Amino acid sequence: MNLGDLHKVWESKALKRKPGEEEAKKILEKIAKQVQPIWRVKLLSEFCPNNPTLLGLNVGASIHVKLRLRRPNWDWDFYPFNQVLDTMLHELCHNAHGPHNANFYKLWDEFRKVHFHF
């Protein structure tokens, strides 16, 4: 195994029941490349939860990270890439800090500085 394989997204899946599956897959692959040095993610997938405010979910410390790529009820209206990337960074912070506390937000800010170059 290559050491680079330890910090990467192993698989990504877009929703097949939605139009624009190829576009969604490209977004997920771009997100995967951006976060590769941070943590290993076994599966990165698109999801469309009933709760319109839920943008991401981290299951089992990055065994499966789910991201909302599209605005609720608008299948062709994808969120801006940087917003989806920010959600991914948020979900990766949950690997180190479960609750949304000061340590969580500090780590999220550190990730943002690296990935958004502010």
Side-chain angles (χ1 to χ4, degrees):
M1 173 186 279
N2 181 341
L3 286 180
D5 290 343
L6 296 176
H7 296 289
K8 73 175 201 176
V9 174
W10 289 4
E11 181 182 2
S12 59
K13 288 185 181 176
L15 291 173
K16 292 189 183 300
R17 70 179 192 273
K18 297 276 188 187
E21 180 184 353
E22 284 304 311
E23 177 71 19
K25 184 80 170 162
K26 286 178 187 174
I27 293 168
L28 291 172
E29 288 170 0
K30 190 174 176 184
I31 293 287
K33 286 179 184 168
Q34 285 281 89
V35 302
Q36 186 166 336
I38 300 175
W39 254 292
R40 176 179 57 89
V41 175
K42 192 168 184 180
L43 175 62
L44 176 62
S45 71
E46 177 183 11
F47 82 144
C48 186
N50 290 331
N51 178 347
T53 63
L54 186 59
L55 300 176
L57 193 62
N58 184 334
V59 179
S62 289
I63 289 173
H64 187 179
V65 175
K66 302 176 183 187
L67 300 174
R68 180 188 289 274
L69 303 182
R70 310 160 198 252
R71 296 182 194 282
N73 303 314
W74 296 96
D75 289 345
W76 283 100
D77 192 7
F78 290 92
Y79 283 111
F81 176 79
N82 282 346
Q83 184 175 344
V84 179
L85 176 59
D86 196 40
T87 300
M88 180 66 171
L89 297 175
H90 173 105
E91 295 308 326
L92 291 176
C93 288
H94 282 300
N95 291 337
H97 306 287
H100 294 129
N101 59 23
N103 290 329
F104 175 92
Y105 288 108
K106 182 180 178 194
L107 180 59
W108 193 12
D109 285 343
E110 289 172 17
F111 284 171
R112 285 171 159 168
K113 286 176 187 166
V114 169
H115 290 279
F116 293 117
H117 310 289
F118 348 104

